[in-house]
Amino acid sequence: MAPVQAQVLPISPESGIVAEKVRDGIDLQVNGERFRHIGDPQMPLLWYLRDVLQLTGTKYGGEHGGNGADLVLLDGKAVSAITVPIAKLAGKAVTTVEGLAANDGSLHPLQQAFIDEDAIGCGYCTPGWLIAGVDLLLHKPHPNDGDIDQLPNLCRCGCQARVRRAIKRAAAGKAGRP
Ligand code: FES
């Protein structure tokens, strides 16, 4: 008996079928864990974090970012996660707010300082402030009010003054102390 021929569908504009190349994976690290993304390489990092990895601490801050809600650390530098496609993350290390605490669960000193200074209102902006603050403290260990006011973050609950105090408390090594 003659072998059965596999049916080959015609690929033409009329068919509505689009040929797509097999995608290579994009390897990246998030909060110390390694992941391989094999979906759309143009997917913004923010949606990868929130929808794929279920890391919902990083918030949407508009389609161009800019208000600090969607900040993450990329190789130690704060960047807006909505503006970075996964395609640019091969071999890079991302840290989100979920990755700031130590493995034993103890808070990052800046997280503790936010609690100490009651610098959290509704909390929407808080993850972004924490990421921006960690970046600031890494590059300027003793920032002044002007340095803090230059961060891109906004708080609609009016917590800026307490955020300033929290960042300066962490800088002074007083997190968790009276
Ligand atoms: S705490 Fe509500 S927006 Fe900042």
Side-chain angles (χ1 to χ4, degrees), residues 94-147:
V94 176
T95 303
T96 69
V97 69
E98 290 90 345
L100 291 183
N103 288 339
D104 66 1
S106 52
L107 295 178
H108 186 285
L110 187 56
Q111 290 175 303
Q112 184 58 55
F114 267 61
I115 294 169
D116 298 340
E117 293 291 348
D118 196 17
I120 306 163
C122 73
Y124 195 91
C125 68
T126 310
W129 277 115
L130 289 168
I131 294 292
V134 167
D135 180 6
L136 177 63
L137 292 170
L138 275 174
H139 297 96
K140 189 154 192 181
H142 297 287
N144 58 33
D145 285 348
D147 298 320

Side-chain angles (χ1 to χ4, degrees), residues 1 8 13 28 31 66 76 83 87 93 97 99 105 115 141 144 148 151 153 169 178:
M1 193 166 134
V8 178
L28 69 155
N31 297 338
T83 63
V97 69
I115 294 169
N144 58 33
I148 297 167
L151 297 176
N153 307 67
R169 172 183 279 271

Side-chain angles (χ1 to χ4, degrees), residues 71-86:
L71 290 179
V72 297
L73 294 173
L74 180 56
D75 287 343
K77 183 91 191 80
V79 299
S80 158
I82 195 81
T83 63
V84 181
I86 298 282

Side-chain angles (χ1 to χ4, degrees), residues 163-175:
V163 166
R164 270 193 224 120
R165 288 204 298 271
I167 292 175
K168 289 197 285 189
R169 172 183 279 271
K174 290 185 177 166

Side-chain angles (χ1 to χ4, degrees), residues 121-123 125 155-157 159:
C122 73
C125 68
C155 176
R156 293 187 189 280
C157 297
C159 296

